[in-house]
Amino acid sequence: MITKIGKAGANTHGVLRYLYGSGRANEHTDPQLVASWDGFAPDPGRDETATLAQLATVLDLRVKQAGDRAPAKHVWHCSVRTAPEDPVLTDEQWATITRRILNATGIAPAGDPDACRWVAVRHAEDHIHIVATKVRGDLTPSRHWNDYLRADKECAAIEKEYGLRQLLRGDRTATKRPTRAEKEKALRAGHTATPRERLRATVRTTVAAATGTEEFFAILRSAGVLVEVQRFPSGDIRGYKVALPGDMNAKGEPVWFSGSTLAPDLSYPKISERLAPTEPAPMGGRYSGRRHTAWQQVTDAADRIPDVLEQADDAVGQAHITVLAETLDALPLIAPASYKPQLARAAAAFERASRSHIRARHQQAQSTRRAIKAIVREPAPKEAALLTILLDALLLAVVAAQHWHHTRHHDQQAEAARQTAEHLHAAYQAATLQSLPAIHQRGLRLTVAVRQRQAAVVRQALPDLAEQILAEPSWLALASALTDTAAVGQDPASLLTQAARHRELDTAGSLSDILTWRLHRIAGLEPQPATATAPGPNLSPAARLAAHADRPRRNR
């Protein structure tokens, strides 16, 4: 059930004329009152002698009596709509729902003789409109502070009681939706995304790449974004605003957006906190002695996120979810071109999962952040297996983030993480198809005795899944990985059990594929070169960002 409370108006008769009219596309049918403040309001939809002017007059009675004390915009208008799959509610049910919403918002508290005058009009099966005038019986303005959240909370209770579809509800940390005017302007310019949305994506990616605030502004400018830095009299930075070249208002001036209007976490104070310099610290990890590249360090960090989210306090958990979002933002800049679309979709989906009301302790995730910024400055690795291993670790981290949000009743964030996992899984499958054949070929060269020995390891470690694994085409790739694990002095059975415990495997398309890459990551195995992926050029972050920004606009 969706509620929408419009801006206050000054013309009661005008609102009623729209509600009792045919609508913008003749969508209004059989308009009628389903409830009113006293049950005796004139209904122009049912009573041939009643008029809109009469209904407006009785609604406005207290507004006229209050005179100059009445609010200039005295009309309160709220629409309430059910989902398409919901049952059709009766007029009596809508009347009860109306009174509950008016009570919750403070417009008409139950049992209050001085409550505001109101009516509920129904002109379709799936929704009603509530119109009230915001002057009470004692001629004082109504007290309806925070009415949207109160109405939304009441609707959540109504959904459960009436068996309606229960919507995912937010916590006011979501980004502002583009307006209709912004969408139409973007379409006229040949874009499906509005300037606000395009700038939001560009700024988020720049935050992931930049090593400090000055470089943050420099990268944005180099990528073609207009940037204006605002300073205090002392010279310290107060904030910033950005605009797209060619996006002008009616006066021919650039349409500027401050960071906070792009997203709550893109204000200058929030960005500077994440970009604050820190002392270098060792990444650590299971096999830090052999894994030194930034790419492998990010993989190690992503591998630790599920444990951090399970064990650390909420502030640290939120910090690692934020840095997970930065990893996803950075990946499209450095991944091979064939993976960029899915990775860009994953980053866009996780944007909603990256914020909550929990204040992050960002210093706890700075080592991971440094590794992310390092991979943006390195050539793309020539081993396709490295991307596959990282994607597997990120997929586990995103699933863990979904669970973390779900247990804290962050409904929208949990759903965003679920959608992110779908996009990451598609990219992971594509990377697997490219990089697994080389490992499979090595498995074909194993002797029969070695294959039998590795099959025994699988039966020992995973007795319930062993026969399914051994029947899969990718089994030989797993056998090769088990052989490599033993060759570096580790226990294959123990690590295989650990790999299977990371995430449920009952919905996996190929257990062998997943376990092969898990073993590579957990055991710290060096990937074999894949001829299908060539190293990318060592571009600057600004050049990578400019190339990435152009691609989505052409493909949208």
Side-chain angles (χ1 to χ4, degrees), residues 108 219 406 474:
I219 293 176
H406 179 73
S474 301

Side-chain angles (χ1 to χ4, degrees), residues 530-547:
T531 57
T533 302
N538 191 8
L539 301 176
S540 68
R544 292 183 187 273
L545 182 62

Side-chain angles (χ1 to χ4, degrees), residues 129-398:
H129 291 261
I130 307 171
V131 179
T133 47
K134 301 190 297 180
V135 177
R136 294 169 42 80
D138 56 8
L139 305 186
T140 61
S142 59
R143 297 182 288 271
H144 58 284
W145 177 81
N146 221 10
D147 51 1
Y148 172 76
L149 288 181
R150 294 174 183 271
D152 194 54
K153 182 178 180 180
E154 187 65 25
C155 282
I158 292 170
E159 289 166 354
K160 293 180 181 179
E161 294 176 26
Y162 282 71
L164 306 176
R165 175 184 174 185
Q166 296 184 33
L167 300 182
L168 300 178
R169 289 182 156 80
D171 54 4
R172 304 189 80 177
T173 61
T175 57
K176 181 180 179 181
R177 293 182 179 180
T179 65
R180 181 177 179 179
E182 286 179 320
K183 291 179 180 179
E184 291 177 349
K185 181 180 178 181
L187 290 175
R188 290 195 300 269
H191 300 288
T192 55
T194 66
R196 184 194 303 270
E197 293 170 313
R198 292 161 60 195
L199 284 168
R200 180 186 301 137
T202 301
V203 171
R204 285 185 63 85
T205 306
T206 304
V207 173
T211 57
T213 54
E214 292 301 328
E215 187 184 27
F216 167 73
F217 296 129
I219 293 176
L220 283 177
R221 292 189 178 102
S222 299
V225 176
L226 303 179
V227 180
E228 184 173 303
V229 179
Q230 301 154 330
R231 298 181 182 272
F232 290 109
S234 63
D236 294 334
I237 298 176
R238 178 169 59 90
Y240 73 99
K241 56 183 180 179
V242 290
L244 289 177
D247 182 29
M248 305 293 182
N249 58 22
K251 297 180 180 180
E253 301 167 337
V255 179
W256 295 98
F257 296 90
S258 66
S260 59
T261 60
L262 295 178
D265 56 344
L266 295 182
S267 66
Y268 179 75
K270 297 290 181 64
I271 288 177
S272 61
E273 183 181 1
R274 289 153 64 185
L275 296 181
T278 57
E279 291 297 323
M283 286 294 300
R286 294 185 180 89
Y287 308 101
S288 57
R290 289 187 287 115
R291 299 173 62 128
H292 292 297
T293 69
W295 193 277
Q296 292 165 326
Q297 287 176 343
V298 171
T299 301
D300 270 345
D303 194 26
R304 290 193 295 270
I305 287 178
D307 290 337
V308 171
L309 294 182
E310 183 176 347
Q311 300 169 10
D313 61 43
D314 283 358
V316 175
Q318 180 62 58
H320 281 80
I321 287 178
T322 301
V323 86
L324 174 59
E326 292 178 22
T327 309
L328 296 173
D329 287 332
L331 265 188
L333 298 179
I334 51 180
S338 58
Y339 303 108
K340 289 182 185 291
Q342 284 291 357
L343 293 177
R345 294 187 189 102
F350 199 74
E351 187 267 342
R352 180 66 190 99
S354 66
R355 290 184 306 274
S356 72
H357 274 307
I358 298 171
R359 183 174 178 82
R361 198 177 302 147
H362 291 299
Q363 295 301 314
Q364 298 295 319
Q366 287 294 63
S367 58
T368 306
R369 187 168 282 113
R370 282 191 295 270
I372 295 169
K373 298 177 191 309
I375 64 174
V376 177
R377 289 157 175 79
E378 292 184 355
K382 58 184 178 181
E383 299 92 354
L386 280 176
L387 176 62
T388 310
I389 294 170
L390 175 56
L391 288 177
D392 180 59
L394 290 174
L395 192 54
L396 288 176
V398 168

Side-chain angles (χ1 to χ4, degrees), residues 20-87:
Y20 276 92
S22 59
R24 293 187 175 92
N26 296 317
E27 72 273 20
H28 296 177
T29 59
D30 191 24
Q32 56 178 299
L33 285 186
V34 294
S36 65
W37 77 95
D38 63 356
F40 297 102
D43 182 6
R46 285 289 182 267
D47 186 351
E48 295 181 355
T49 64
T51 66
L52 291 177
Q54 290 174 336
L55 181 55
T57 297
V58 294
L59 280 171
D60 281 340
L61 176 63
R62 291 170 176 170
V63 176
K64 300 295 185 184
Q65 292 173 337
D68 295 339
R69 290 179 294 168
K73 295 186 176 182
H74 59 268
V75 181
W76 187 85
H77 179 199
C78 172
S79 62
V80 188
R81 185 183 300 271
T82 57
E85 66 270 25
D86 285 338

